[in-house]
Amino acid sequence: GQQLNQSPQSMFIQEGEDVSMNCTSSSIFNTWLWYKQDPGEGPVLLIALYKAGELTSNGRLTAQFGITRKDSFLNISASIPSDVGIYFCAGRITISNFGNEKLTFGTGTRLTIIP
Amino acid sequence: DGGITQSPKYLFRKEGQNVTLSCEQNLNHDAMYWYRQDPGQGLRLIYYSQIVNDFQKGDIAEGYSVSREKKESFPLTVTSAQKNPTAFYLCASSIRRDALGSGGPIEYFGPGTRLTVT
């Protein structure tokens, strides 16, 4: 199956810094989802995007659905210790009006905050 | 509380044994999914089911089997044919897209089961 190119693979930042990560694909997606995963836990949904150009915020998090429908980015402002974890993007191509097409996941961005 | 339950959290098995991982949801979701996660990698789809008594293979179905006899349950069996079974297994569920007025289905994940086979 295809995978999304997610970058960077890892980030080491100081508390209070802003963070930016992105995902790109060779395919067009109709939906972009951003998840956060803590060690040993399941991913938790952060933001869902459904329209090209859409910009959506959730607290200090902002995500955008790229105009070309082949990319998305996630920004975190003023990072805090609980932001540590792995962030995954996921995209879906809608093929039909019936049923749920599969999600394709990025390889993740591991965020570490340096004290 | 509504949610997705996976049990146990940690599972240890000897090579050559089949093992079944449990996944239960009380969200009234139609679709359920099993993913595998290896260290430093993203999630790969094993099997998914959009409705009771129906399921489809994902990208890495070889060596796995599932059943969907009840809407709330989607157990995964890791068979002895799976060559590298040690991994973190995640179950997810979502509402079917044709049941939504707008937007799209969102997969909600369980807490995962870490399977170690030695």
Side-chain angles (χ1 to χ4, degrees), chain A residues 55-92:
Chain A
L55 184 71
T56 297
S57 293
N58 178 8
R60 293 177 298 105
L61 278 61
T62 302
Q64 184 158 29
F65 193 139
I67 288 290
T68 65
R69 295 163 65 191
K70 293 183 178 181
D71 62 343
S72 178
F73 73 74
L74 175 72
N75 286 345
I76 305 173
S77 63
S79 58
I80 60 177
S82 61
D83 291 333
V84 166
I86 303 176
Y87 292 80
F88 289 100
C89 62
R92 190 192 317 273

PDB file of all heavy atoms in Angstrom, chain A residues 55-92:
ATOM      1  N   LEU A  55      -8.470  25.704   6.394  1.00  0.00           N
ATOM      2  CA  LEU A  55      -7.550  25.978   7.498  1.00  0.00           C
ATOM      3  C   LEU A  55      -8.352  25.829   8.778  1.00  0.00           C
ATOM      4  O   LEU A  55      -9.350  26.531   8.962  1.00  0.00           O
ATOM      5  CB  LEU A  55      -6.969  27.384   7.374  1.00  0.00           C
ATOM      6  CG  LEU A  55      -5.912  27.800   8.395  1.00  0.00           C
ATOM      7  CD1 LEU A  55      -4.611  27.054   8.131  1.00  0.00           C
ATOM      8  CD2 LEU A  55      -5.671  29.312   8.323  1.00  0.00           C
ATOM      9  N   THR A  56      -7.938  24.922   9.639  1.00  0.00           N
ATOM     10  CA  THR A  56      -8.709  24.626  10.852  1.00  0.00           C
ATOM     11  C   THR A  56      -7.811  24.677  12.066  1.00  0.00           C
ATOM     12  O   THR A  56      -6.688  24.185  12.037  1.00  0.00           O
ATOM     13  CB  THR A  56      -9.356  23.239  10.739  1.00  0.00           C
ATOM     14  OG1 THR A  56     -10.283  23.227   9.657  1.00  0.00           O
ATOM     15  CG2 THR A  56     -10.106  22.874  12.014  1.00  0.00           C
ATOM     16  N   SER A  57      -8.319  25.262  13.149  1.00  0.00           N
ATOM     17  CA  SER A  57      -7.559  25.351  14.394  1.00  0.00           C
ATOM     18  C   SER A  57      -8.232  24.575  15.500  1.00  0.00           C
ATOM     19  O   SER A  57      -9.463  24.438  15.527  1.00  0.00           O
ATOM     20  CB  SER A  57      -7.407  26.815  14.822  1.00  0.00           C
ATOM     21  OG  SER A  57      -6.602  27.512  13.906  1.00  0.00           O
ATOM     22  N   ASN A  58      -7.400  24.081  16.410  1.00  0.00           N
ATOM     23  CA  ASN A  58      -7.868  23.389  17.606  1.00  0.00           C
ATOM     24  C   ASN A  58      -6.932  23.818  18.726  1.00  0.00           C
ATOM     25  O   ASN A  58      -5.889  23.232  18.949  1.00  0.00           O
ATOM     26  CB  ASN A  58      -7.829  21.873  17.393  1.00  0.00           C
ATOM     27  CG  ASN A  58      -8.260  21.114  18.633  1.00  0.00           C
ATOM     28  OD1 ASN A  58      -8.728  21.713  19.607  1.00  0.00           O
ATOM     29  ND2 ASN A  58      -8.104  19.809  18.604  1.00  0.00           N
ATOM     30  N   GLY A  59      -7.295  24.908  19.410  1.00  0.00           N
ATOM     31  CA  GLY A  59      -6.413  25.457  20.432  1.00  0.00           C
ATOM     32  C   GLY A  59      -5.144  25.993  19.809  1.00  0.00           C
ATOM     33  O   GLY A  59      -5.176  26.830  18.910  1.00  0.00           O
ATOM     34  N   ARG A  60      -3.981  25.487  20.271  1.00  0.00           N
ATOM     35  CA  ARG A  60      -2.703  25.935  19.728  1.00  0.00           C
ATOM     36  C   ARG A  60      -2.326  25.229  18.425  1.00  0.00           C
ATOM     37  O   ARG A  60      -1.280  25.495  17.857  1.00  0.00           O
ATOM     38  CB  ARG A  60      -1.614  25.685  20.781  1.00  0.00           C
ATOM     39  CG  ARG A  60      -1.752  26.547  22.046  1.00  0.00           C
ATOM     40  CD  ARG A  60      -0.682  26.200  23.092  1.00  0.00           C
ATOM     41  NE  ARG A  60      -0.813  24.819  23.549  1.00  0.00           N
ATOM     42  CZ  ARG A  60      -0.015  23.842  23.179  1.00  0.00           C
ATOM     43  NH1 ARG A  60       0.996  24.066  22.355  1.00  0.00           N
ATOM     44  NH2 ARG A  60      -0.197  22.616  23.650  1.00  0.00           N
ATOM     45  N   LEU A  61      -3.163  24.331  17.969  1.00  0.00           N
ATOM     46  CA  LEU A  61      -2.886  23.576  16.749  1.00  0.00           C
ATOM     47  C   LEU A  61      -3.642  24.181  15.564  1.00  0.00           C
ATOM     48  O   LEU A  61      -4.803  24.555  15.689  1.00  0.00           O
ATOM     49  CB  LEU A  61      -3.327  22.128  16.911  1.00  0.00           C
ATOM     50  CG  LEU A  61      -2.389  21.167  17.617  1.00  0.00           C
ATOM     51  CD1 LEU A  61      -2.110  21.576  19.041  1.00  0.00           C
ATOM     52  CD2 LEU A  61      -2.945  19.758  17.589  1.00  0.00           C
ATOM     53  N   THR A  62      -2.957  24.258  14.429  1.00  0.00           N
ATOM     54  CA  THR A  62      -3.571  24.711  13.188  1.00  0.00           C
ATOM     55  C   THR A  62      -3.140  23.770  12.078  1.00  0.00           C
ATOM     56  O   THR A  62      -1.962  23.440  11.960  1.00  0.00           O
ATOM     57  CB  THR A  62      -3.128  26.144  12.837  1.00  0.00           C
ATOM     58  OG1 THR A  62      -3.481  27.017  13.905  1.00  0.00           O
ATOM     59  CG2 THR A  62      -3.813  26.610  11.558  1.00  0.00           C
ATOM     60  N   ALA A  63      -4.095  23.343  11.262  1.00  0.00           N
ATOM     61  CA  ALA A  63      -3.774  22.469  10.141  1.00  0.00           C
ATOM     62  C   ALA A  63      -4.426  23.001   8.885  1.00  0.00           C
ATOM     63  O   ALA A  63      -5.479  23.648   8.936  1.00  0.00           O
ATOM     64  CB  ALA A  63      -4.255  21.035  10.423  1.00  0.00           C
ATOM     65  N   GLN A  64      -3.779  22.737   7.758  1.00  0.00           N
ATOM     66  CA  GLN A  64      -4.329  23.177   6.475  1.00  0.00           C
ATOM     67  C   GLN A  64      -4.337  22.044   5.469  1.00  0.00           C
ATOM     68  O   GLN A  64      -3.408  21.240   5.406  1.00  0.00           O
ATOM     69  CB  GLN A  64      -3.546  24.353   5.902  1.00  0.00           C
ATOM     70  CG  GLN A  64      -4.157  24.900   4.599  1.00  0.00           C
ATOM     71  CD  GLN A  64      -3.775  26.309   4.286  1.00  0.00           C
ATOM     72  OE1 GLN A  64      -2.710  26.765   4.659  1.00  0.00           O
ATOM     73  NE2 GLN A  64      -4.665  27.016   3.591  1.00  0.00           N
ATOM     74  N   PHE A  65      -5.384  22.014   4.664  1.00  0.00           N
ATOM     75  CA  PHE A  65      -5.552  21.086   3.557  1.00  0.00           C
ATOM     76  C   PHE A  65      -5.011  21.807   2.324  1.00  0.00           C
ATOM     77  O   PHE A  65      -5.531  22.836   1.931  1.00  0.00           O
ATOM     78  CB  PHE A  65      -7.054  20.810   3.392  1.00  0.00           C
ATOM     79  CG  PHE A  65      -7.430  19.649   2.514  1.00  0.00           C
ATOM     80  CD1 PHE A  65      -8.460  18.817   2.886  1.00  0.00           C
ATOM     81  CD2 PHE A  65      -6.787  19.403   1.311  1.00  0.00           C
ATOM     82  CE1 PHE A  65      -8.851  17.753   2.074  1.00  0.00           C
ATOM     83  CE2 PHE A  65      -7.152  18.346   0.502  1.00  0.00           C
ATOM     84  CZ  PHE A  65      -8.201  17.533   0.888  1.00  0.00           C
ATOM     85  N   GLY A  66      -3.949  21.285   1.718  1.00  0.00           N
ATOM     86  CA  GLY A  66      -3.315  21.970   0.613  1.00  0.00           C
ATOM     87  C   GLY A  66      -4.225  22.171  -0.595  1.00  0.00           C
ATOM     88  O   GLY A  66      -5.096  21.341  -0.862  1.00  0.00           O
ATOM     89  N   ILE A  67      -3.987  23.240  -1.313  1.00  0.00           N
ATOM     90  CA  ILE A  67      -4.804  23.579  -2.485  1.00  0.00           C
ATOM     91  C   ILE A  67      -4.750  22.483  -3.536  1.00  0.00           C
ATOM     92  O   ILE A  67      -5.743  22.189  -4.214  1.00  0.00           O
ATOM     93  CB  ILE A  67      -4.339  24.917  -3.096  1.00  0.00           C
ATOM     94  CG1 ILE A  67      -4.747  26.062  -2.179  1.00  0.00           C
ATOM     95  CG2 ILE A  67      -4.936  25.116  -4.474  1.00  0.00           C
ATOM     96  CD1 ILE A  67      -6.252  26.304  -2.152  1.00  0.00           C
ATOM     97  N   THR A  68      -3.606  21.881  -3.704  1.00  0.00           N
ATOM     98  CA  THR A  68      -3.456  20.816  -4.714  1.00  0.00           C
ATOM     99  C   THR A  68      -4.083  19.504  -4.257  1.00  0.00           C
ATOM    100  O   THR A  68      -4.186  18.561  -5.041  1.00  0.00           O
ATOM    101  CB  THR A  68      -1.973  20.558  -5.005  1.00  0.00           C
ATOM    102  OG1 THR A  68      -1.353  20.039  -3.828  1.00  0.00           O
ATOM    103  CG2 THR A  68      -1.272  21.825  -5.455  1.00  0.00           C
ATOM    104  N   ARG A  69      -4.492  19.436  -3.001  1.00  0.00           N
ATOM    105  CA  ARG A  69      -5.079  18.235  -2.371  1.00  0.00           C
ATOM    106  C   ARG A  69      -4.066  17.116  -2.206  1.00  0.00           C
ATOM    107  O   ARG A  69      -4.433  15.980  -1.914  1.00  0.00           O
ATOM    108  CB  ARG A  69      -6.302  17.737  -3.142  1.00  0.00           C
ATOM    109  CG  ARG A  69      -7.451  18.744  -3.105  1.00  0.00           C
ATOM    110  CD  ARG A  69      -8.485  18.472  -4.163  1.00  0.00           C
ATOM    111  NE  ARG A  69      -9.154  17.196  -3.923  1.00  0.00           N
ATOM    112  CZ  ARG A  69      -9.955  16.601  -4.798  1.00  0.00           C
ATOM    113  NH1 ARG A  69     -10.185  17.167  -5.975  1.00  0.00           N
ATOM    114  NH2 ARG A  69     -10.539  15.455  -4.524  1.00  0.00           N
ATOM    115  N   LYS A  70      -2.780  17.450  -2.390  1.00  0.00           N
ATOM    116  CA  LYS A  70      -1.742  16.436  -2.242  1.00  0.00           C
ATOM    117  C   LYS A  70      -0.876  16.686  -1.023  1.00  0.00           C
ATOM    118  O   LYS A  70       0.135  16.005  -0.839  1.00  0.00           O
ATOM    119  CB  LYS A  70      -0.852  16.425  -3.489  1.00  0.00           C
ATOM    120  CG  LYS A  70      -1.568  15.946  -4.746  1.00  0.00           C
ATOM    121  CD  LYS A  70      -0.606  15.887  -5.902  1.00  0.00           C
ATOM    122  CE  LYS A  70      -1.287  15.360  -7.155  1.00  0.00           C
ATOM    123  NZ  LYS A  70      -0.346  15.269  -8.297  1.00  0.00           N
ATOM    124  N   ASP A  71      -1.221  17.671  -0.207  1.00  0.00           N
ATOM    125  CA  ASP A  71      -0.408  17.925   0.965  1.00  0.00           C
ATOM    126  C   ASP A  71      -1.218  18.572   2.074  1.00  0.00           C
ATOM    127  O   ASP A  71      -2.312  19.092   1.864  1.00  0.00           O
ATOM    128  CB  ASP A  71       0.803  18.784   0.616  1.00  0.00           C
ATOM    129  CG  ASP A  71       0.430  20.150   0.086  1.00  0.00           C
ATOM    130  OD1 ASP A  71      -0.742  20.335  -0.318  1.00  0.00           O
ATOM    131  OD2 ASP A  71       1.300  21.022   0.059  1.00  0.00           O
ATOM    132  N   SER A  72      -0.636  18.509   3.273  1.00  0.00           N
ATOM    133  CA  SER A  72      -1.253  19.112   4.441  1.00  0.00           C
ATOM    134  C   SER A  72      -0.157  19.448   5.427  1.00  0.00           C
ATOM    135  O   SER A  72       0.886  18.790   5.451  1.00  0.00           O
ATOM    136  CB  SER A  72      -2.256  18.138   5.089  1.00  0.00           C
ATOM    137  OG  SER A  72      -2.829  18.696   6.253  1.00  0.00           O
ATOM    138  N   PHE A  73      -0.359  20.478   6.221  1.00  0.00           N
ATOM    139  CA  PHE A  73       0.609  20.782   7.264  1.00  0.00           C
ATOM    140  C   PHE A  73      -0.089  20.969   8.604  1.00  0.00           C
ATOM    141  O   PHE A  73      -1.284  21.267   8.666  1.00  0.00           O
ATOM    142  CB  PHE A  73       1.469  21.994   6.906  1.00  0.00           C
ATOM    143  CG  PHE A  73       0.751  23.326   6.989  1.00  0.00           C
ATOM    144  CD1 PHE A  73       0.444  23.903   8.218  1.00  0.00           C
ATOM    145  CD2 PHE A  73       0.414  24.017   5.851  1.00  0.00           C
ATOM    146  CE1 PHE A  73      -0.204  25.122   8.295  1.00  0.00           C
ATOM    147  CE2 PHE A  73      -0.239  25.241   5.917  1.00  0.00           C
ATOM    148  CZ  PHE A  73      -0.554  25.784   7.150  1.00  0.00           C
ATOM    149  N   LEU A  74       0.691  20.767   9.654  1.00  0.00           N
ATOM    150  CA  LEU A  74       0.221  20.965  11.022  1.00  0.00           C
ATOM    151  C   LEU A  74       1.198  21.888  11.727  1.00  0.00           C
ATOM    152  O   LEU A  74       2.408  21.651  11.692  1.00  0.00           O
ATOM    153  CB  LEU A  74       0.127  19.638  11.772  1.00  0.00           C
ATOM    154  CG  LEU A  74      -0.240  19.729  13.252  1.00  0.00           C
ATOM    155  CD1 LEU A  74      -1.699  20.122  13.415  1.00  0.00           C
ATOM    156  CD2 LEU A  74       0.021  18.396  13.964  1.00  0.00           C
ATOM    157  N   ASN A  75       0.689  22.931  12.350  1.00  0.00           N
ATOM    158  CA  ASN A  75       1.503  23.832  13.159  1.00  0.00           C
ATOM    159  C   ASN A  75       1.064  23.758  14.611  1.00  0.00           C
ATOM    160  O   ASN A  75      -0.137  23.677  14.897  1.00  0.00           O
ATOM    161  CB  ASN A  75       1.357  25.277  12.675  1.00  0.00           C
ATOM    162  CG  ASN A  75       2.087  25.528  11.378  1.00  0.00           C
ATOM    163  OD1 ASN A  75       2.928  24.734  10.958  1.00  0.00           O
ATOM    164  ND2 ASN A  75       1.764  26.614  10.721  1.00  0.00           N
ATOM    165  N   ILE A  76       2.039  23.799  15.509  1.00  0.00           N
ATOM    166  CA  ILE A  76       1.766  23.883  16.935  1.00  0.00           C
ATOM    167  C   ILE A  76       2.445  25.144  17.434  1.00  0.00           C
ATOM    168  O   ILE A  76       3.644  25.329  17.233  1.00  0.00           O
ATOM    169  CB  ILE A  76       2.323  22.670  17.700  1.00  0.00           C
ATOM    170  CG1 ILE A  76       1.786  21.366  17.099  1.00  0.00           C
ATOM    171  CG2 ILE A  76       1.963  22.767  19.182  1.00  0.00           C
ATOM    172  CD1 ILE A  76       2.433  20.116  17.691  1.00  0.00           C
ATOM    173  N   SER A  77       1.701  26.004  18.056  1.00  0.00           N
ATOM    174  CA  SER A  77       2.293  27.245  18.557  1.00  0.00           C
ATOM    175  C   SER A  77       2.595  27.120  20.045  1.00  0.00           C
ATOM    176  O   SER A  77       1.898  26.418  20.779  1.00  0.00           O
ATOM    177  CB  SER A  77       1.347  28.423  18.310  1.00  0.00           C
ATOM    178  OG  SER A  77       0.145  28.243  19.027  1.00  0.00           O
ATOM    179  N   ALA A  78       3.674  27.805  20.448  1.00  0.00           N
ATOM    180  CA  ALA A  78       4.050  27.889  21.866  1.00  0.00           C
ATOM    181  C   ALA A  78       4.022  26.513  22.533  1.00  0.00           C
ATOM    182  O   ALA A  78       3.233  26.263  23.454  1.00  0.00           O
ATOM    183  CB  ALA A  78       3.127  28.858  22.593  1.00  0.00           C
ATOM    184  N   SER A  79       4.875  25.620  22.093  1.00  0.00           N
ATOM    185  CA  SER A  79       4.853  24.226  22.552  1.00  0.00           C
ATOM    186  C   SER A  79       5.006  24.129  24.071  1.00  0.00           C
ATOM    187  O   SER A  79       5.684  24.942  24.718  1.00  0.00           O
ATOM    188  CB  SER A  79       5.958  23.439  21.866  1.00  0.00           C
ATOM    189  OG  SER A  79       7.209  24.021  22.138  1.00  0.00           O
ATOM    190  N   ILE A  80       4.356  23.099  24.614  1.00  0.00           N
ATOM    191  CA  ILE A  80       4.420  22.808  26.047  1.00  0.00           C
ATOM    192  C   ILE A  80       4.810  21.343  26.217  1.00  0.00           C
ATOM    193  O   ILE A  80       4.715  20.559  25.256  1.00  0.00           O
ATOM    194  CB  ILE A  80       3.068  23.104  26.730  1.00  0.00           C
ATOM    195  CG1 ILE A  80       1.954  22.246  26.117  1.00  0.00           C
ATOM    196  CG2 ILE A  80       2.715  24.585  26.631  1.00  0.00           C
ATOM    197  CD1 ILE A  80       0.599  22.425  26.793  1.00  0.00           C
ATOM    198  N   PRO A  81       5.246  20.942  27.403  1.00  0.00           N
ATOM    199  CA  PRO A  81       5.739  19.564  27.597  1.00  0.00           C
ATOM    200  C   PRO A  81       4.762  18.469  27.158  1.00  0.00           C
ATOM    201  O   PRO A  81       5.176  17.433  26.639  1.00  0.00           O
ATOM    202  CB  PRO A  81       6.007  19.511  29.103  1.00  0.00           C
ATOM    203  CG  PRO A  81       6.384  20.908  29.452  1.00  0.00           C
ATOM    204  CD  PRO A  81       5.496  21.778  28.593  1.00  0.00           C
ATOM    205  N   SER A  82       3.477  18.685  27.315  1.00  0.00           N
ATOM    206  CA  SER A  82       2.513  17.628  26.954  1.00  0.00           C
ATOM    207  C   SER A  82       2.341  17.482  25.436  1.00  0.00           C
ATOM    208  O   SER A  82       1.635  16.573  24.984  1.00  0.00           O
ATOM    209  CB  SER A  82       1.154  17.904  27.595  1.00  0.00           C
ATOM    210  OG  SER A  82       0.635  19.129  27.129  1.00  0.00           O
ATOM    211  N   ASP A  83       2.998  18.332  24.663  1.00  0.00           N
ATOM    212  CA  ASP A  83       2.968  18.176  23.201  1.00  0.00           C
ATOM    213  C   ASP A  83       3.881  17.056  22.728  1.00  0.00           C
ATOM    214  O   ASP A  83       3.818  16.633  21.577  1.00  0.00           O
ATOM    215  CB  ASP A  83       3.380  19.469  22.499  1.00  0.00           C
ATOM    216  CG  ASP A  83       2.363  20.584  22.666  1.00  0.00           C
ATOM    217  OD1 ASP A  83       1.159  20.266  22.854  1.00  0.00           O
ATOM    218  OD2 ASP A  83       2.759  21.765  22.607  1.00  0.00           O
ATOM    219  N   VAL A  84       4.755  16.575  23.618  1.00  0.00           N
ATOM    220  CA  VAL A  84       5.673  15.501  23.253  1.00  0.00           C
ATOM    221  C   VAL A  84       4.894  14.266  22.790  1.00  0.00           C
ATOM    222  O   VAL A  84       3.896  13.894  23.387  1.00  0.00           O
ATOM    223  CB  VAL A  84       6.567  15.147  24.457  1.00  0.00           C
ATOM    224  CG1 VAL A  84       7.285  13.834  24.233  1.00  0.00           C
ATOM    225  CG2 VAL A  84       7.552  16.258  24.716  1.00  0.00           C
ATOM    226  N   GLY A  85       5.339  13.657  21.720  1.00  0.00           N
ATOM    227  CA  GLY A  85       4.691  12.461  21.189  1.00  0.00           C
ATOM    228  C   GLY A  85       4.994  12.314  19.717  1.00  0.00           C
ATOM    229  O   GLY A  85       5.876  12.983  19.173  1.00  0.00           O
ATOM    230  N   ILE A  86       4.270  11.427  19.080  1.00  0.00           N
ATOM    231  CA  ILE A  86       4.433  11.212  17.642  1.00  0.00           C
ATOM    232  C   ILE A  86       3.172  11.703  16.953  1.00  0.00           C
ATOM    233  O   ILE A  86       2.054  11.341  17.335  1.00  0.00           O
ATOM    234  CB  ILE A  86       4.673   9.729  17.314  1.00  0.00           C
ATOM    235  CG1 ILE A  86       5.891   9.211  18.059  1.00  0.00           C
ATOM    236  CG2 ILE A  86       4.874   9.550  15.810  1.00  0.00           C
ATOM    237  CD1 ILE A  86       6.142   7.724  17.862  1.00  0.00           C
ATOM    238  N   TYR A  87       3.349  12.507  15.928  1.00  0.00           N
ATOM    239  CA  TYR A  87       2.238  13.072  15.172  1.00  0.00           C
ATOM    240  C   TYR A  87       2.156  12.368  13.819  1.00  0.00           C
ATOM    241  O   TYR A  87       3.149  12.242  13.114  1.00  0.00           O
ATOM    242  CB  TYR A  87       2.431  14.578  14.989  1.00  0.00           C
ATOM    243  CG  TYR A  87       2.321  15.327  16.290  1.00  0.00           C
ATOM    244  CD1 TYR A  87       3.387  15.372  17.180  1.00  0.00           C
ATOM    245  CD2 TYR A  87       1.136  15.966  16.646  1.00  0.00           C
ATOM    246  CE1 TYR A  87       3.282  16.030  18.395  1.00  0.00           C
ATOM    247  CE2 TYR A  87       1.019  16.635  17.852  1.00  0.00           C
ATOM    248  CZ  TYR A  87       2.096  16.664  18.725  1.00  0.00           C
ATOM    249  OH  TYR A  87       1.979  17.320  19.922  1.00  0.00           O
ATOM    250  N   PHE A  88       0.964  11.920  13.487  1.00  0.00           N
ATOM    251  CA  PHE A  88       0.735  11.237  12.213  1.00  0.00           C
ATOM    252  C   PHE A  88      -0.274  12.002  11.377  1.00  0.00           C
ATOM    253  O   PHE A  88      -1.303  12.451  11.885  1.00  0.00           O
ATOM    254  CB  PHE A  88       0.167   9.828  12.434  1.00  0.00           C
ATOM    255  CG  PHE A  88       1.134   8.845  13.002  1.00  0.00           C
ATOM    256  CD1 PHE A  88       1.119   8.534  14.352  1.00  0.00           C
ATOM    257  CD2 PHE A  88       2.067   8.216  12.191  1.00  0.00           C
ATOM    258  CE1 PHE A  88       2.006   7.628  14.881  1.00  0.00           C
ATOM    259  CE2 PHE A  88       2.967   7.294  12.718  1.00  0.00           C
ATOM    260  CZ  PHE A  88       2.936   7.009  14.077  1.00  0.00           C
ATOM    261  N   CYS A  89       0.026  12.107  10.088  1.00  0.00           N
ATOM    262  CA  CYS A  89      -0.995  12.545   9.161  1.00  0.00           C
ATOM    263  C   CYS A  89      -1.631  11.303   8.545  1.00  0.00           C
ATOM    264  O   CYS A  89      -1.036  10.221   8.544  1.00  0.00           O
ATOM    265  CB  CYS A  89      -0.409  13.421   8.063  1.00  0.00           C
ATOM    266  SG  CYS A  89       0.804  12.577   7.025  1.00  0.00           S
ATOM    267  N   ALA A  90      -2.836  11.446   8.044  1.00  0.00           N
ATOM    268  CA  ALA A  90      -3.520  10.350   7.365  1.00  0.00           C
ATOM    269  C   ALA A  90      -4.419  10.943   6.295  1.00  0.00           C
ATOM    270  O   ALA A  90      -5.083  11.948   6.528  1.00  0.00           O
ATOM    271  CB  ALA A  90      -4.341   9.513   8.352  1.00  0.00           C
ATOM    272  N   GLY A  91      -4.426  10.303   5.143  1.00  0.00           N
ATOM    273  CA  GLY A  91      -5.233  10.799   4.034  1.00  0.00           C
ATOM    274  C   GLY A  91      -6.165   9.725   3.519  1.00  0.00           C
ATOM    275  O   GLY A  91      -5.895   8.536   3.626  1.00  0.00           O
ATOM    276  N   ARG A  92      -7.288  10.188   2.969  1.00  0.00           N
ATOM    277  CA  ARG A  92      -8.260   9.250   2.401  1.00  0.00           C
ATOM    278  C   ARG A  92      -8.674   9.717   1.011  1.00  0.00           C
ATOM    279  O   ARG A  92      -8.939  10.893   0.806  1.00  0.00           O
ATOM    280  CB  ARG A  92      -9.504   9.154   3.293  1.00  0.00           C
ATOM    281  CG  ARG A  92     -10.456   8.017   2.883  1.00  0.00           C
ATOM    282  CD  ARG A  92     -11.797   8.104   3.566  1.00  0.00           C
ATOM    283  NE  ARG A  92     -11.745   8.438   4.972  1.00  0.00           N
ATOM    284  CZ  ARG A  92     -11.609   7.559   5.963  1.00  0.00           C
ATOM    285  NH1 ARG A  92     -11.482   6.277   5.693  1.00  0.00           N
ATOM    286  NH2 ARG A  92     -11.601   7.963   7.208  1.00  0.00           N
TER     287      ARG A  92
END
